[in-house]
Each structure stands twice: as structure tokens, then as C-alpha cells.
Short mmCIF file of all heavy atoms in Angstrom, two decimals:
data_model
loop_
_atom_site.label_atom_id
_atom_site.label_comp_id
_atom_site.label_asym_id
_atom_site.label_seq_id
_atom_site.Cartn_x
_atom_site.Cartn_y
_atom_site.Cartn_z
N ALA A 666 130.38 69.31 147.01
CA ALA A 666 129.06 69.13 147.61
C ALA A 666 128.59 70.42 148.28
O ALA A 666 127.39 70.67 148.40
CB ALA A 666 129.10 68.00 148.64
N ARG A 667 129.52 71.25 148.71
CA ARG A 667 129.19 72.52 149.37
C ARG A 667 129.21 73.69 148.39
O ARG A 667 128.55 74.70 148.62
CB ARG A 667 130.20 72.78 150.48
CG ARG A 667 130.21 71.74 151.58
CD ARG A 667 129.39 72.20 152.73
NE ARG A 667 129.36 71.24 153.82
CZ ARG A 667 129.36 71.61 155.10
NH1 ARG A 667 129.39 72.87 155.42
NH2 ARG A 667 129.30 70.70 156.04
N VAL A 668 130.00 73.56 147.35
CA VAL A 668 130.10 74.62 146.34
C VAL A 668 129.87 73.95 144.98
O VAL A 668 130.81 73.58 144.29
CB VAL A 668 131.49 75.30 146.38
CG1 VAL A 668 131.53 76.49 145.43
CG2 VAL A 668 131.83 75.75 147.80
N PRO A 669 128.62 73.78 144.58
CA PRO A 669 128.32 72.96 143.41
C PRO A 669 128.60 73.61 142.06
O PRO A 669 128.62 72.92 141.05
CB PRO A 669 126.81 72.69 143.56
CG PRO A 669 126.30 73.81 144.38
CD PRO A 669 127.41 74.21 145.30
N PHE A 670 128.85 74.91 142.02
CA PHE A 670 128.97 75.59 140.73
C PHE A 670 130.37 76.14 140.49
O PHE A 670 130.64 77.33 140.67
CB PHE A 670 127.94 76.72 140.62
CG PHE A 670 126.51 76.26 140.70
CD1 PHE A 670 125.61 76.90 141.52
CD2 PHE A 670 126.07 75.17 139.97
CE1 PHE A 670 124.29 76.48 141.61
CE2 PHE A 670 124.76 74.72 140.05
CZ PHE A 670 123.87 75.38 140.87
N ALA A 671 131.28 75.28 140.11
CA ALA A 671 132.62 75.66 139.64
C ALA A 671 133.32 76.64 140.57
O ALA A 671 133.81 77.69 140.14
CB ALA A 671 132.53 76.25 138.23
N ASN A 672 133.36 76.29 141.85
CA ASN A 672 134.10 77.08 142.83
C ASN A 672 133.54 78.49 143.04
O ASN A 672 134.26 79.39 143.47
CB ASN A 672 135.59 77.17 142.47
CG ASN A 672 136.24 75.80 142.37
OD1 ASN A 672 135.74 74.82 142.91
ND2 ASN A 672 137.35 75.73 141.65
N GLN A 673 132.26 78.67 142.71
CA GLN A 673 131.63 79.96 142.90
C GLN A 673 130.35 79.80 143.72
O GLN A 673 129.72 78.74 143.70
CB GLN A 673 131.28 80.61 141.55
CG GLN A 673 132.49 81.01 140.73
CD GLN A 673 132.11 81.83 139.52
OE1 GLN A 673 131.04 81.67 138.95
NE2 GLN A 673 132.97 82.74 139.12
N ILE A 674 129.99 80.86 144.44
CA ILE A 674 128.73 80.88 145.15
C ILE A 674 127.95 82.11 144.72
O ILE A 674 128.53 83.11 144.28
CB ILE A 674 128.90 80.88 146.68
CG1 ILE A 674 129.71 82.10 147.14
CG2 ILE A 674 129.55 79.60 147.16
CD1 ILE A 674 129.74 82.26 148.65
N ASN A 675 126.64 82.03 144.83
CA ASN A 675 125.78 83.15 144.47
C ASN A 675 125.48 83.98 145.72
O ASN A 675 125.14 83.43 146.77
CB ASN A 675 124.47 82.66 143.85
CG ASN A 675 124.71 81.86 142.58
OD1 ASN A 675 125.66 82.12 141.85
ND2 ASN A 675 123.87 80.88 142.33
N LEU A 676 125.57 85.29 145.58
CA LEU A 676 125.22 86.20 146.65
C LEU A 676 124.14 87.16 146.16
O LEU A 676 124.18 87.61 145.02
CB LEU A 676 126.44 87.02 147.10
CG LEU A 676 127.64 86.30 147.69
CD1 LEU A 676 128.67 87.32 148.15
CD2 LEU A 676 127.24 85.40 148.84
N SER A 677 123.18 87.44 147.04
CA SER A 677 122.20 88.49 146.78
C SER A 677 122.49 89.65 147.72
O SER A 677 122.83 89.44 148.89
CB SER A 677 120.77 87.97 147.01
OG SER A 677 120.45 86.96 146.09
N TYR A 678 122.32 90.84 147.22
CA TYR A 678 122.70 92.03 147.97
C TYR A 678 121.47 92.83 148.39
O TYR A 678 120.37 92.64 147.86
CB TYR A 678 123.67 92.87 147.13
CG TYR A 678 124.97 92.16 146.85
CD1 TYR A 678 125.07 91.25 145.80
CD2 TYR A 678 126.08 92.35 147.65
CE1 TYR A 678 126.25 90.57 145.54
CE2 TYR A 678 127.27 91.68 147.40
CZ TYR A 678 127.36 90.79 146.35
OH TYR A 678 128.53 90.11 146.11
N THR A 679 121.68 93.75 149.30
CA THR A 679 120.56 94.46 149.89
C THR A 679 119.90 95.45 148.93
O THR A 679 118.84 95.99 149.24
CB THR A 679 121.00 95.21 151.16
OG1 THR A 679 122.13 96.03 150.86
CG2 THR A 679 121.38 94.22 152.25
N ASP A 680 120.51 95.70 147.78
CA ASP A 680 119.87 96.56 146.78
C ASP A 680 119.05 95.76 145.78
O ASP A 680 118.43 96.34 144.88
CB ASP A 680 120.91 97.42 146.06
CG ASP A 680 121.83 96.60 145.14
OD1 ASP A 680 121.86 95.35 145.29
OD2 ASP A 680 122.52 97.20 144.30
N GLY A 681 119.06 94.42 145.90
CA GLY A 681 118.22 93.59 145.05
C GLY A 681 118.93 92.80 143.98
O GLY A 681 118.32 91.91 143.38
N HIS A 682 120.21 93.07 143.70
CA HIS A 682 120.87 92.33 142.63
C HIS A 682 121.52 91.06 143.19
O HIS A 682 121.82 90.97 144.38
CB HIS A 682 121.88 93.20 141.90
CG HIS A 682 123.21 93.35 142.57
ND1 HIS A 682 123.42 94.22 143.63
CD2 HIS A 682 124.41 92.75 142.32
CE1 HIS A 682 124.69 94.15 144.01
NE2 HIS A 682 125.32 93.26 143.25
N THR A 683 121.73 90.10 142.30
CA THR A 683 122.33 88.81 142.64
C THR A 683 123.44 88.51 141.64
O THR A 683 123.28 88.76 140.44
CB THR A 683 121.28 87.68 142.60
OG1 THR A 683 120.25 87.96 143.55
CG2 THR A 683 121.90 86.33 142.92
N LYS A 684 124.56 88.00 142.13
CA LYS A 684 125.65 87.65 141.22
C LYS A 684 126.48 86.53 141.82
O LYS A 684 126.40 86.24 143.02
CB LYS A 684 126.53 88.86 140.94
CG LYS A 684 127.36 89.34 142.12
CD LYS A 684 128.27 90.49 141.72
CE LYS A 684 129.16 90.93 142.90
NZ LYS A 684 130.05 92.06 142.52
N SER A 685 127.29 85.91 140.97
CA SER A 685 128.20 84.85 141.42
C SER A 685 129.53 85.46 141.84
O SER A 685 129.99 86.45 141.26
CB SER A 685 128.44 83.84 140.30
OG SER A 685 127.27 83.10 140.04
N LEU A 686 130.13 84.84 142.83
CA LEU A 686 131.41 85.30 143.35
C LEU A 686 132.28 84.08 143.62
O LEU A 686 131.81 83.10 144.21
CB LEU A 686 131.19 86.10 144.64
CG LEU A 686 132.39 86.78 145.29
CD1 LEU A 686 132.84 87.97 144.44
CD2 LEU A 686 132.04 87.24 146.70
N PRO A 687 133.55 84.09 143.21
CA PRO A 687 134.44 82.98 143.57
C PRO A 687 134.52 82.83 145.08
O PRO A 687 134.49 83.82 145.82
CB PRO A 687 135.78 83.40 142.97
CG PRO A 687 135.46 84.38 141.91
CD PRO A 687 134.23 85.10 142.37
N VAL A 688 134.63 81.60 145.54
CA VAL A 688 134.72 81.36 146.98
C VAL A 688 135.88 82.14 147.58
O VAL A 688 135.75 82.74 148.65
CB VAL A 688 134.88 79.85 147.25
CG1 VAL A 688 135.27 79.61 148.70
CG2 VAL A 688 133.59 79.12 146.94
N ASN A 689 137.01 82.17 146.88
CA ASN A 689 138.15 82.92 147.40
C ASN A 689 137.86 84.42 147.45
O ASN A 689 138.41 85.13 148.30
CB ASN A 689 139.40 82.63 146.57
CG ASN A 689 139.96 81.24 146.83
OD1 ASN A 689 139.81 80.71 147.93
ND2 ASN A 689 140.59 80.64 145.83
N GLY A 690 136.99 84.90 146.56
CA GLY A 690 136.58 86.29 146.62
C GLY A 690 135.72 86.57 147.84
O GLY A 690 135.85 87.61 148.49
N PHE A 691 134.84 85.62 148.16
CA PHE A 691 134.02 85.73 149.38
C PHE A 691 134.92 85.80 150.60
O PHE A 691 134.73 86.65 151.49
CB PHE A 691 133.07 84.54 149.47
CG PHE A 691 132.23 84.51 150.72
CD1 PHE A 691 130.95 85.04 150.72
CD2 PHE A 691 132.71 83.93 151.89
CE1 PHE A 691 130.17 85.02 151.87
CE2 PHE A 691 131.94 83.90 153.05
CZ PHE A 691 130.65 84.45 153.03
N LEU A 692 135.91 84.93 150.65
CA LEU A 692 136.82 84.90 151.80
C LEU A 692 137.67 86.17 151.86
O LEU A 692 137.93 86.69 152.95
CB LEU A 692 137.71 83.66 151.73
CG LEU A 692 136.98 82.32 151.87
CD1 LEU A 692 137.95 81.16 151.66
CD2 LEU A 692 136.30 82.19 153.23
N ALA A 693 138.07 86.68 150.71
CA ALA A 693 138.88 87.90 150.68
C ALA A 693 138.09 89.10 151.20
O ALA A 693 138.67 90.04 151.76
CB ALA A 693 139.38 88.18 149.26
N ASN A 694 136.76 89.05 151.03
CA ASN A 694 135.90 90.13 151.51
C ASN A 694 135.45 89.93 152.96
O ASN A 694 134.63 90.69 153.47
CB ASN A 694 134.66 90.26 150.62
CG ASN A 694 134.99 90.79 149.25
OD1 ASN A 694 135.92 91.58 149.10
ND2 ASN A 694 134.24 90.38 148.24
N THR A 695 136.00 88.89 153.58
CA THR A 695 135.69 88.57 154.98
C THR A 695 136.94 88.76 155.82
O THR A 695 137.99 88.22 155.49
CB THR A 695 135.20 87.11 155.09
OG1 THR A 695 134.05 86.93 154.27
CG2 THR A 695 134.85 86.76 156.53
N PRO A 696 136.87 89.52 156.90
CA PRO A 696 138.08 89.77 157.71
C PRO A 696 138.60 88.50 158.36
O PRO A 696 137.85 87.56 158.63
CB PRO A 696 137.61 90.77 158.76
CG PRO A 696 136.12 90.64 158.80
CD PRO A 696 135.69 90.23 157.43
N THR A 697 139.89 88.49 158.61
CA THR A 697 140.49 87.38 159.35
C THR A 697 140.19 87.55 160.84
O THR A 697 139.68 88.59 161.28
CB THR A 697 142.01 87.36 159.16
OG1 THR A 697 142.58 88.55 159.73
CG2 THR A 697 142.38 87.29 157.68
N ALA A 698 140.53 86.54 161.61
CA ALA A 698 140.32 86.61 163.06
C ALA A 698 141.12 87.75 163.69
O ALA A 698 140.73 88.30 164.71
CB ALA A 698 140.69 85.28 163.70
N ALA A 699 142.24 88.12 163.07
CA ALA A 699 143.05 89.23 163.59
C ALA A 699 142.44 90.58 163.22
O ALA A 699 142.70 91.58 163.89
CB ALA A 699 144.47 89.13 163.03
N GLN A 700 141.61 90.60 162.16
CA GLN A 700 141.01 91.86 161.72
C GLN A 700 139.61 92.08 162.28
O GLN A 700 139.09 93.20 162.23
CB GLN A 700 140.95 91.88 160.18
CG GLN A 700 142.32 91.88 159.52
CD GLN A 700 142.24 91.60 158.03
OE1 GLN A 700 141.47 90.75 157.57
NE2 GLN A 700 143.04 92.32 157.26
N TYR A 701 139.01 91.01 162.78
CA TYR A 701 137.66 91.07 163.36
C TYR A 701 137.73 90.28 164.65
O TYR A 701 137.61 89.05 164.67
CB TYR A 701 136.66 90.47 162.37
CG TYR A 701 135.20 90.60 162.75
CD1 TYR A 701 134.53 91.81 162.62
CD2 TYR A 701 134.48 89.50 163.20
CE1 TYR A 701 133.18 91.92 162.92
CE2 TYR A 701 133.14 89.59 163.52
CZ TYR A 701 132.48 90.81 163.37
OH TYR A 701 131.14 90.91 163.67
N VAL A 702 137.94 90.97 165.73
CA VAL A 702 138.32 90.32 166.98
C VAL A 702 137.08 90.06 167.84
O VAL A 702 136.30 90.98 168.13
CB VAL A 702 139.32 91.19 167.77
CG1 VAL A 702 139.72 90.51 169.07
CG2 VAL A 702 140.56 91.48 166.91
N VAL A 703 136.90 88.80 168.22
CA VAL A 703 135.84 88.42 169.14
C VAL A 703 136.47 87.66 170.31
O VAL A 703 137.54 87.06 170.16
CB VAL A 703 134.76 87.54 168.46
CG1 VAL A 703 133.95 88.35 167.47
CG2 VAL A 703 135.38 86.33 167.78
N SER A 704 135.79 87.68 171.43
CA SER A 704 136.37 87.06 172.63
C SER A 704 136.45 85.55 172.52
O SER A 704 137.33 84.91 173.11
CB SER A 704 135.56 87.45 173.86
OG SER A 704 134.21 87.02 173.72
N SER A 705 135.53 84.95 171.76
CA SER A 705 135.55 83.50 171.58
C SER A 705 134.70 83.14 170.38
O SER A 705 133.87 83.94 169.93
CB SER A 705 135.01 82.77 172.82
OG SER A 705 133.64 83.10 173.03
N ARG A 706 134.91 81.95 169.85
CA ARG A 706 134.12 81.43 168.74
C ARG A 706 134.24 79.92 168.73
O ARG A 706 135.11 79.36 169.42
CB ARG A 706 134.57 82.03 167.40
CG ARG A 706 136.01 81.75 167.00
CD ARG A 706 136.36 82.47 165.71
NE ARG A 706 137.76 82.34 165.34
CZ ARG A 706 138.27 81.36 164.59
NH1 ARG A 706 137.46 80.41 164.12
NH2 ARG A 706 139.56 81.32 164.31
N PRO A 707 133.41 79.21 167.95
CA PRO A 707 133.51 77.75 167.89
C PRO A 707 134.90 77.29 167.46
O PRO A 707 135.60 78.00 166.73
CB PRO A 707 132.45 77.37 166.86
CG PRO A 707 131.46 78.48 166.89
CD PRO A 707 132.28 79.71 167.16
N ALA A 708 135.27 76.11 167.90
CA ALA A 708 136.60 75.59 167.59
C ALA A 708 136.80 75.39 166.09
O ALA A 708 137.92 75.52 165.58
CB ALA A 708 136.83 74.26 168.32
N CYS A 709 135.72 75.08 165.39
CA CYS A 709 135.81 74.86 163.94
C CYS A 709 134.51 75.27 163.28
O CYS A 709 133.43 74.84 163.69
CB CYS A 709 136.12 73.40 163.64
SG CYS A 709 136.48 73.06 161.90
N GLY A 710 134.60 76.11 162.27
CA GLY A 710 133.40 76.50 161.54
C GLY A 710 132.56 77.50 162.30
O GLY A 710 133.04 78.26 163.14
N VAL A 711 131.25 77.49 161.99
CA VAL A 711 130.34 78.47 162.57
C VAL A 711 129.44 77.86 163.64
O VAL A 711 128.52 78.51 164.13
CB VAL A 711 129.47 79.11 161.47
CG1 VAL A 711 130.32 79.89 160.49
CG2 VAL A 711 128.64 78.06 160.74
N GLY A 712 129.69 76.61 163.99
CA GLY A 712 128.90 75.98 165.04
C GLY A 712 127.44 75.82 164.67
O GLY A 712 127.10 75.55 163.51
N SER A 713 126.55 76.06 165.63
CA SER A 713 125.13 75.83 165.41
C SER A 713 124.42 77.07 164.88
O SER A 713 123.21 77.04 164.68
CB SER A 713 124.46 75.41 166.72
OG SER A 713 124.61 76.42 167.70
#
């Protein structure tokens, strides 16, 4: 229901192109909490 297209999501980039990326690829390109340190965040997900 959240990822309707075969485990992939579409991303558009600041140069104008758009392409599909596997969800795990999106996550791999996103730092972990240990690599991107903030003082606090919602208990689950991105909150409001």
C-alpha cells in the first residue's frame, strides 16, 4: 500500500530527471542514526 510498484519508488532529482529506485537502495543512500546524529526525533517514523 505504501510501495505500490514492485518494491521500488520513483525519485525526481534537482537536475530534472526522474527514475525508479529500489526501496532498499533509498535506505542505503540514507544515513543511519549513528551516521546522522540529532539530539532527538519521533519515537517511530517521521512524525507530523
Side-chain angles (χ1 to χ4, degrees):
R667 299 262 180 143
V668 186
F670 299 133
N672 302 339
Q673 293 189 329
I674 59 171
N675 300 328
L676 298 184
S677 295
Y678 296 83
T679 53
D680 69 344
H682 81 281
T683 299
K684 69 177 183 180
S685 292
L686 185 71
V688 168
N689 286 331
F691 177 95
L692 294 175
N694 290 329
T695 302
T697 65
Q700 295 168 320
Y701 186 76
V702 180
V703 290
S704 59
S705 64
R706 61 184 175 89
C709 188
V711 296
S713 61

